[in-house]
Amino acid sequence: MIPDISALHSEYRKSKLSEGELHENPIYQFEKWLTDAIDAKVKEPTAMTLATVNENNQPSARIVLLKFVNEKGLAFFTNYQSRKGNELNKNPKAALVFFWTELERQVRVEGKVSKLSRKISNEYFNLRPKESRISAIISPQSQPIPNRQFLENRVAEYLKNNNEIITPENWGGYILTPRTFEFWQGRENRLHDRFLYKKIGKRWKISRLAP
Amino acid sequence: MIPDISALHSEYRKSKLSEGELHENPIYQFEKWLTDAIDAKVKEPTAMTLATVNENNQPSARIVLLKFVNEKGLAFFTNYQSRKGNELNKNPKAALVFFWTELERQVRVEGKVSKLSRKISNEYFNLRPKESRISAIISPQSQPIPNRQFLENRVAEYLKNNNEIITPENWGGYILTPRTFEFWQGRENRLHDRFLYKKIGKRWKISRLAP
């Protein structure tokens, strides 16, 4: 029997968020909060939940790591034939959520993904430690496998054959181009501060949402 | 300028997950991991990302708190007219993700939600602190509001009028009935352990997935 969880929650008292302090561009606002999370030594500050949808309108979601952010959007890398890869190839609409509990902050993003260039994917692939590059090469991501030994054998075989360690064809990056951004700062008594940025043409419209 | 985040990641070395230790019912397996998270003093152990989909096949996702789990599924409460409420009323398919960084563990769940009874929603509502019940009553969740004062005025007005604090009509619970469950234990060199439970008739079929 698990403990009674119904009353488990924290009161959020650390901070607040007001109209005046918001940057007019949500990418800069995001970079500020991400930097705060890194400075506060949040564990896995770049971890985000990525939500995708399959052809039966069933959403799925999993953690991925943000690998860069710039004026075009937020980037991550994966196996293009993984479940998320397959779903994004058919429906590029996706959502992201960051939750930095230590700062009582949440960021939500929605938009469409597109594939990053082979050049950018190669550059990032080559930054990764050798062992994790080999894992990416030998792992048929999201497919059923008989046991752990299967993976370990494939790694050993790959090393024994002295194969080149180059980016697999089916591996690379996506960038999510945001259409909406929401910044959520937890407040006491569930009266949280929420601000929604919505892209209208080339401009961002900001509104406060009821918590 | 934010720091270079491309190389930010942890090596996961804390634990492993093998076929032999899995409970045949994923609800029990989940309860075990949730208890571990509570025992390890994870911050907000019941926080989960809920992904829903709108009529344009655009997913959205946000944090909600798990309020109970039983053999029927996983329950949470919300305003039925919030964005998630509106999306779930049209398409009950949803996904959940827990990420307990301190334990290097992730749980993913997919299924359909249904509304909990008024009786259960009332019971939970009445467990909440008075201030947070009032906030739930006065907040037009997910709607644009002019400023923070708007909320604070509504709280003050509610208190002044000595209104009854009863569950709003448009507020209550959902329970997600799982069709799939995935348990993910981070491992070194990205060779993570992943096990998928899939409901086939009344039984759960377990398979190991490639990371």
Side-chain angles (χ1 to χ4, degrees):
Chain A
M1 196 47 202
I2 62 164
D4 179 17
I5 57 170
S6 61
L8 271 188
H9 77 290
S10 314
E11 273 300 338
Y12 300 124
R13 299 196 178 95
K14 286 203 172 155
S15 193
K16 54 189 181 174
L17 182 63
S18 63
E19 286 75 355
E21 67 196 279
L22 289 173
H23 201 289
E24 63 181 31
N25 184 328
I27 294 282
Y28 295 138
Q29 183 65 35
F30 175 75
E31 288 183 342
K32 180 181 180 315
W33 274 24
L34 177 61
T35 307
D36 289 348
I38 294 168
D39 291 348
K41 306 214 183 307
V42 165
K43 258 184 99 74
E44 299 283 21
T46 60
M48 56 187 186
T49 301
L50 164 71
T52 57
V53 185
N54 76 7
E55 45 214 353
N56 302 316
N57 293 319
Q58 170 69 55
S60 66
R62 78 289 288 153
I63 299 293
V64 293
L65 299 183
L66 175 72
K67 288 301 174 182
F68 65 82
V69 52
N70 62 27
E71 72 287 351
K72 292 190 187 136
L74 295 87
F76 57 93
F77 294 84
T78 186
N79 185 313
Y80 287 136
Q81 287 162 353
S82 66
R83 172 142 175 225
K84 59 177 142 359
N86 282 322
E87 293 186 357
L88 290 170
N89 289 342
K90 289 182 189 156
N91 174 4
K93 293 174 184 167
L96 301 172
V97 181
F98 294 83
F99 187 42
W100 296 305
T101 38
E102 294 87 338
L103 300 176
E104 304 172 351
R105 285 176 177 173
Q106 183 182 168
V107 177
R108 299 168 54 177
V109 193
E110 285 163 38
K112 280 190 193 176
V113 300
S114 46
K115 281 187 182 171
L116 289 168
S117 69
R118 193 98 300 252
K119 181 164 171 289
I120 293 178
S121 295
N122 284 338
E123 276 167 13
Y124 170 65
F125 191 77
N126 292 326
L127 280 178
R128 294 167 50 134
K130 181 182 167 195
E131 292 73 17
S132 100
R133 276 180 284 155
I134 294 174
S135 301
I137 292 170
I138 61 89
S139 177
Q141 200 176 327
S142 308
Q143 299 302 314
I145 53 172
N147 47 43
R148 185 166 180 90
Q149 198 58 47
F150 171 89
L151 294 172
E152 290 171 358
N153 289 347
R154 286 184 81 153
V155 170
E157 209 175 320
Y158 202 86
L159 286 169
K160 202 182 71 185
N161 293 340
N162 246 321
N163 287 302
E164 264 192 305
I165 304 178
I166 53 172
T167 325
E169 279 292 322
N170 61 0
W171 193 96
Y174 287 101
I175 188 157
L176 183 136
T177 307
R179 280 176 50 88
T180 67
F181 249 105
E182 183 184 322
F183 295 87
W184 180 102
Q185 175 76 56
R187 298 288 305 271
E188 221 165 343
N189 303 328
R190 79 170 290 300
L191 285 185
H192 315 304
D193 291 322
R194 295 177 66 182
F195 289 97
L196 177 70
Y197 289 72
K198 215 169 184 164
K199 192 132 195 194
I200 314 274
K202 291 200 167 182
R203 310 200 80 195
W204 289 97
K205 193 188 154 225
I206 304 180
S207 41
R208 184 188 274 266
L209 300 186
Chain B
M1 196 45 203
I2 62 162
D4 178 17
I5 58 170
S6 61
L8 271 188
H9 79 290
S10 314
E11 273 300 339
Y12 299 125
R13 298 194 178 98
K14 285 203 172 154
S15 195
K16 54 188 181 173
L17 183 63
S18 61
E19 286 76 356
E21 68 197 278
L22 290 172
H23 200 291
E24 63 181 31
N25 184 328
I27 294 283
Y28 294 138
Q29 183 65 35
F30 174 74
E31 288 182 345
K32 181 181 180 313
W33 274 24
L34 177 60
T35 307
D36 288 347
I38 294 168
D39 291 347
K41 308 216 182 306
V42 165
K43 259 183 101 71
E44 300 282 23
T46 60
M48 55 188 187
T49 300
L50 165 71
T52 56
V53 186
N54 75 7
E55 43 215 354
N56 303 317
N57 293 321
Q58 171 68 55
S60 66
R62 78 291 287 152
I63 299 292
V64 294
L65 299 183
L66 175 72
K67 287 302 176 182
F68 65 82
V69 52
N70 62 27
E71 71 288 351
K72 291 187 187 136
L74 294 86
F76 57 93
F77 294 84
T78 186
N79 185 315
Y80 287 137
Q81 286 162 355
S82 65
R83 172 144 175 225
K84 61 178 140 358
N86 283 323
E87 293 186 357
L88 290 171
N89 289 342
K90 289 181 188 155
N91 173 5
K93 293 173 185 170
L96 301 171
V97 180
F98 294 83
F99 188 42
W100 296 305
T101 37
E102 295 87 337
L103 300 175
E104 303 173 350
R105 284 176 178 174
Q106 184 182 168
V107 177
R108 299 168 52 178
V109 194
E110 286 163 38
K112 281 188 191 174
V113 300
S114 45
K115 281 188 181 169
L116 289 167
S117 69
R118 193 95 303 251
K119 183 165 170 286
I120 292 178
S121 295
N122 285 338
E123 278 168 10
Y124 170 65
F125 191 77
N126 293 324
L127 281 178
R128 293 165 51 133
K130 181 182 166 193
E131 292 75 15
S132 99
R133 276 179 286 156
I134 294 175
S135 301
I137 292 170
I138 61 89
S139 177
Q141 198 175 329
S142 308
Q143 299 301 313
I145 54 172
N147 47 42
R148 184 165 181 90
Q149 198 58 47
F150 172 89
L151 294 173
E152 289 171 358
N153 289 347
R154 288 186 81 154
V155 170
E157 210 175 318
Y158 202 86
L159 286 169
K160 202 182 71 184
N161 293 338
N162 245 321
N163 287 301
E164 265 193 303
I165 304 177
I166 54 172
T167 324
E169 280 291 322
N170 61 1
W171 192 95
Y174 287 101
I175 188 158
L176 183 137
T177 307
R179 281 176 51 88
T180 65
F181 249 105
E182 183 183 323
F183 295 87
W184 180 101
Q185 175 76 57
R187 297 289 304 272
E188 221 165 345
N189 302 329
R190 79 169 292 298
L191 285 183
H192 316 303
D193 291 322
R194 296 176 66 181
F195 289 96
L196 177 70
Y197 288 72
K198 213 169 188 167
K199 192 130 191 196
I200 315 274
K202 292 201 166 180
R203 311 199 82 193
W204 289 96
K205 193 189 153 222
I206 304 178
S207 41
R208 184 189 273 266
L209 300 185

